[in-house]
Amino acid sequence: MQLQSCILVVLLAAFGSAIADTTCQLSIEKAKLRASESHLRIRGHINVGNNDCKPTSNENENVTTTVIFKAKKNFNFQDANNITHSGNECNVTASWYNKPDEYNSNKDKTQVFVPLRFIEEIKCNKDVSTKKPKHPTKTEKVTTRRKSAKKISKKTAKKTAKKTSKKTSKKTSKKTNKEASNESSSDSGEHYSGQATFFTPNQGACGDWNDDSDYIAAIGGSLYGGYSSESKYCGKKVKVVNKDNGKSVTVTIKDACESCDKTHIDLSPAAFAQIGKFDTGILKVDWYIQ
């Protein structure tokens, strides 16, 4: 009788241990994940690894569930500790179990909600390693110091260069603005001092079609020549300098302006905007045919 009692106690203990250590598994293919502040909702083709597992009804049940899911695309989500996980394959270990349920009243569409508070561990294939770096050797320390010194010297050199260039640019910019109206291009063959206006381009006298965004110009009819043939100026570059602010733009001659005199140049809107404001309408300029 005593022997039977002992055997019964052993069997009950073993059965109780089996219940306490219940292991469940959910494998999810073609998974789609959505994370909230409290749950992970995972949808896909869900396979149940242990049909004997029963949903946990309270937090004291010792059930360990491994959720393995794979997706086509990488995803990012946070666990209960606000640690970000990423990848398209993840293993989630939780002290919880729940059977998948259908959604949209479709047996082929199943989902499961995993409470974040029950999750013990998450491992994804794109997670950033949290291993601490090994302590550097003496040689590595020296190398690191040398590299750091080089970086610092480069940064210092850049800062110094910036400061120097700023000072230099401030000094030279004043001279440039004053002298810009009087300077001529080294390649210029002809120089005119007059006015600039703007026009709406279309098919020019040179034969090309242009629009507002092209950097082109039309020159006076007397300078362009006869309209029966293409002018020798077609396709030539012109540097136009605003006398008031020193700003300049380079354009290509593509058209003729019959009403413009010889020192008047008509610019496309894009070119005009580079050296002046539209509300001004007329600019005093020097322009150089290159």
Side-chain angles (χ1 to χ4, degrees):
M1 187 70 179
Q2 290 179 347
L3 180 61
Q4 290 177 344
S5 298
C6 290
I7 292 172
L8 182 60
V9 170
V10 171
L11 288 173
L12 288 172
F15 181 71
S17 176
I19 293 175
D21 297 326
T22 303
T23 302
C24 306
Q25 180 175 306
L26 297 173
S27 297
I28 308 172
E29 297 289 336
K30 297 182 180 179
K32 293 182 179 180
L33 174 75
R34 176 174 290 181
S36 68
E37 294 181 357
S38 59
H39 289 75
L40 295 180
R41 187 199 73 185
I42 312 171
R43 291 179 172 178
H45 299 297
I46 304 177
N47 295 317
V48 178
N50 185 351
N51 288 313
D52 296 327
C53 289
K54 295 181 180 181
T56 52
S57 58
N58 60 68
E59 297 184 18
N60 297 322
E61 293 183 72
N62 190 10
V63 176
T64 300
T65 301
T66 302
V67 182
I68 303 168
F69 59 92
K70 298 180 181 180
K72 290 183 178 180
K73 297 180 180 180
N74 290 331
F75 39 70
N76 292 282
F77 64 95
Q78 289 186 331
D79 58 23
N81 298 316
N82 293 324
I83 297 173
T84 300
H85 300 275
S86 60
N88 63 345
E89 295 183 15
C90 290
N91 282 24
V92 178
T93 305
S95 56
W96 150 97
Y97 179 76
N98 198 10
K99 289 184 178 179
D101 62 350
E102 299 173 9
Y103 66 95
N104 292 343
S105 302
N106 191 327
K107 292 182 179 180
D108 295 328
K109 295 183 177 182
T110 52
Q111 65 184 359
V112 65
F113 290 84
V114 185
L116 291 178
R117 69 179 187 277
F118 292 145
I119 295 177
E120 298 173 356
E121 185 180 35
I122 299 175
K123 290 183 179 179
C124 295
N125 60 337
K126 297 292 184 179
D127 283 348
V128 178
S129 176
T130 56
K131 292 182 180 180
K132 293 182 179 180
K134 64 178 182 177
H135 294 292
T137 61
K138 290 182 179 179
T139 307
E140 288 173 339
K141 285 181 179 179
V142 172
T143 306
T144 304
R145 286 174 184 171
R146 286 177 180 172
K147 287 182 178 179
S148 299
K150 286 182 179 179
K151 287 181 179 179
I152 292 168
S153 62
K154 285 182 179 179
K155 287 181 179 178
T156 306
K158 285 182 179 179
K159 287 181 179 179
T160 305
K162 284 182 179 179
K163 288 181 180 178
T164 305
S165 62
K166 283 182 180 179
K167 290 180 180 179
T168 305
S169 62
K170 284 181 180 179
K171 290 180 180 179
T172 56
S173 62
K174 291 181 180 180
K175 292 182 179 180
T176 304
N177 290 335
K178 289 180 181 179
E179 296 172 0
S181 60
N182 296 322
E183 105 181 299
S184 62
S185 171
S186 59
D187 298 328
S188 66
E190 298 177 53
H191 164 231
Y192 297 95
S193 183
Q195 61 184 18
T197 52
F198 61 91
F199 72 109
T200 301
N202 44 46
Q203 186 176 23
C206 296
D208 298 326
W209 285 90
N210 297 100
D211 56 36
D212 292 356
S213 61
D214 294 321
Y215 283 65
I216 66 164
I219 57 175
S222 60
L223 185 63
Y224 182 89
Y227 295 107
S228 59
S229 61
E230 185 178 300
S231 172
K232 66 176 183 179
Y233 292 105
C234 286
K236 287 196 173 185
K237 300 291 183 182
V238 179
K239 181 179 180 181
V240 185
V241 182
N242 186 336
K243 290 183 177 182
D244 292 330
N245 59 20
K247 292 182 178 180
S248 65
V249 65
T250 299
V251 295
T252 305
I253 297 174
K254 291 290 184 179
D255 204 351
C257 173
E258 292 185 38
S259 61
C260 299
D261 61 31
K262 195 173 182 179
T263 62
H264 183 167
I265 187 166
D266 218 7
L267 303 175
S268 63
F272 190 92
Q274 292 296 309
I275 60 173
K277 295 180 179 180
F278 291 113
D279 55 8
T280 305
I282 300 174
L283 305 176
K284 293 180 181 179
V285 296
D286 278 312
W287 50 287
Y288 310 86
I289 300 176
Q290 300 177 352

